[in-house]
Amino acid sequence: MSENTQSPRKPRVAVVFGGRSSEHAISVVTAGAVLSAIDRDKYDVLPIGITTDGRWALTADAPERMAIADRALPNVTDLAESATGGVVLSVDPASREVVYNEPGSVPQALGEVDVVFPMLHGPYGEDGTLQGLLELSGVPYVGAGVLASAVGQDKEYMKRVFVSFGLPVGPYVVVRPREWEQNPAAARKKIVEFAADHGWPLFVKPARGGSSMGITKVDDLSGLDEAVEEARRHDPKVIVESLIRGREIECGVLEFEDGPRASVPAEIPPVTDHDFYDFEAKYIDSASGIVPAPIGDEATAEIQRLAVAAYEAVSCEGLVRADFFLTEDGGFVINEINTMPGFTPISMYPRMWQESGVSYPELVDRLIQAALNRSTGLR
């Protein structure tokens, strides 16, 4: 009887990107970088893009077409192999089969997926919605689970969790949709009273947004209504934060075999051509951080401790980027965490790990392996 010399099938990674949020383009850019880094000798790859209207599309495996070019942002529609076809992931946990449907044609089986790398930012992807679908499907995935993703997306509840675990947060106030829609005068008064206690300027933000989109720095009452409406274009719930005077410091957390570890931190220097570290500064004008942050050994150890504590407080998995302010009195205030931070070529998370001895390809591989070794369901 002859021996079976057939080699085992390589794990199949579905890289899902794009999505319905206002961070669609940044998700495409991030996915392009990840697709370039995945070891094709080790993994099979299936790129799946989600259009802005929610269609799951089979896309070209073309990372070079997924970058920002001449300030133009990429989108899934331009990458889709069909304007009408859709990809369907089975919600039967006994089958990880992916099926492609083209109207008027017989559905085409694309094979099983072993792990999903969800490179989605913002609502409808980073907020626990996609993670819930993958849990129903029984497909392992990179990054935080349903609860941690939802908490990590909502700045209000993120801060509430941090406070309950004794982590230092800055002053904030929340304006819920009903407040602004039914009694804007009372909502405005609440913000003005907050400013009276904590001072101007204020930062008005979408409560469940990212990539600094929809954020306005407001210096006085005259710009408040416009700032709230701008934030509400991205999210009907708005969070208003006071200015914290200090240096912006970030720290990455990555899941290793023995648990989460923190990277060297990075500093985001003041940007001269922007009011703050906004979308244009991050992604268009390529503002660069300082890695490692020149803050000394004691402060470095403290921010690493706090970053891991934030990761654990929200029950994160895989990875997190934690953003802090180093205040003038030498203390740290945590601003937020990002459960799926950017992986663009200029993103801080991979740069911090590169400086910590984990190369970009190794970083991607570690995240995939951690997901493959982790079960779905309660854990």
Side-chain angles (χ1 to χ4, degrees), residues 345-359:
I346 61 169
S347 293
M348 298 310 302
Y349 184 84
R351 287 186 59 198
M352 288 187 287
W353 279 109
Q354 177 78 40
E355 189 67 25
S356 304
V358 180
S359 68

Side-chain angles (χ1 to χ4, degrees), residues 85-313:
V87 174
V88 178
L89 180 66
S90 171
V91 292
D92 179 0
S95 170
R96 296 176 180 177
E97 189 81 26
V98 175
V99 176
Y100 178 73
N101 288 318
E102 187 72 55
S105 300
V106 177
Q108 175 187 357
L110 300 179
E112 290 193 341
V113 165
D114 296 292
V115 63
V116 169
F117 205 133
M119 300 310 306
L120 293 154
H121 301 306
Y124 312 112
E126 191 183 351
D127 60 349
T129 50
L130 177 64
Q131 289 74 15
L133 171 63
L134 296 173
E135 292 286 352
L136 287 174
S137 302
V139 180
Y141 53 92
V142 171
V146 175
L147 175 65
S149 296
V151 172
Q153 186 64 41
D154 191 311
K155 293 178 174 60
E156 175 193 1
Y157 288 98
M158 181 197 310
K159 292 176 188 292
R160 289 180 181 271
V161 169
F162 289 159
V163 169
S164 72
F165 277 82
L167 295 169
V169 304
Y172 69 95
V173 66
V174 174
V175 178
R176 302 184 185 282
R178 192 182 308 158
E179 292 179 275
W180 190 258
E181 292 159 9
Q182 296 185 359
N183 194 343
R188 191 180 301 110
K189 183 173 182 289
K190 180 165 78 169
I191 299 173
V192 170
E193 289 175 348
F194 176 79
D197 291 336
H198 301 287
W200 300 88
L202 303 175
F203 288 91
V204 180
K205 305 179 177 181
R208 293 162 290 196
S211 296
S212 297
M213 301 187 78
I215 298 177
T216 306
K217 181 183 177 185
V218 180
D219 294 313
D220 52 46
L221 183 60
S222 64
L224 183 58
D225 281 24
E226 184 179 354
V228 171
E229 291 298 342
E230 171 59 19
R232 281 171 50 83
R233 287 200 313 109
H234 301 267
D235 184 352
K237 184 166 83 165
V238 174
I239 189 166
V240 180
E241 299 173 349
S242 65
L243 172 68
I244 298 176
R245 301 189 183 281
R247 298 161 65 183
E248 292 188 52
I249 311 294
E250 299 182 348
C251 189
V253 179
L254 178 63
E255 180 179 336
F256 284 77
E257 291 77 9
D258 59 350
R261 301 182 198 171
S263 69
V264 299
E267 179 170 8
I268 307 301
V271 287
T272 57
D273 296 333
H274 302 264
D275 227 6
F276 58 96
Y277 195 47
D278 61 7
F279 178 87
E280 290 261 330
K282 282 183 178 178
Y283 299 111
I284 305 298
D285 294 339
S286 302
S288 58
I290 302 168
V291 188
I295 58 175
D297 292 344
E298 186 175 338
T300 293
E302 176 63 5
I303 196 173
Q304 290 174 326
R305 182 189 73 80
L306 290 170
V308 172
Y311 176 99
E312 299 279 30

Side-chain angles (χ1 to χ4, degrees), residues 71-94:
R71 304 178 77 88
L73 301 176
N75 65 80
V76 167
T77 301
D78 292 340
L79 295 162
E81 295 191 349
S82 165
T84 55
V87 174
V88 178
L89 180 66
S90 171
V91 292
D92 179 0

Side-chain angles (χ1 to χ4, degrees), residues 292-340:
I295 58 175
D297 292 344
E298 186 175 338
T300 293
E302 176 63 5
I303 196 173
Q304 290 174 326
R305 182 189 73 80
L306 290 170
V308 172
Y311 176 99
E312 299 279 30
V314 182
S315 299
C316 293
E317 294 169 294
L319 72 165
V320 145
R321 192 195 72 230
D323 301 345
F324 296 84
F325 293 102
L326 176 55
T327 60
E328 296 169 340
D329 64 1
F332 283 104
V333 173
I334 185 166
N335 183 36
E336 63 182 26
I337 59 169
N338 194 312
T339 58
M340 186 52 70

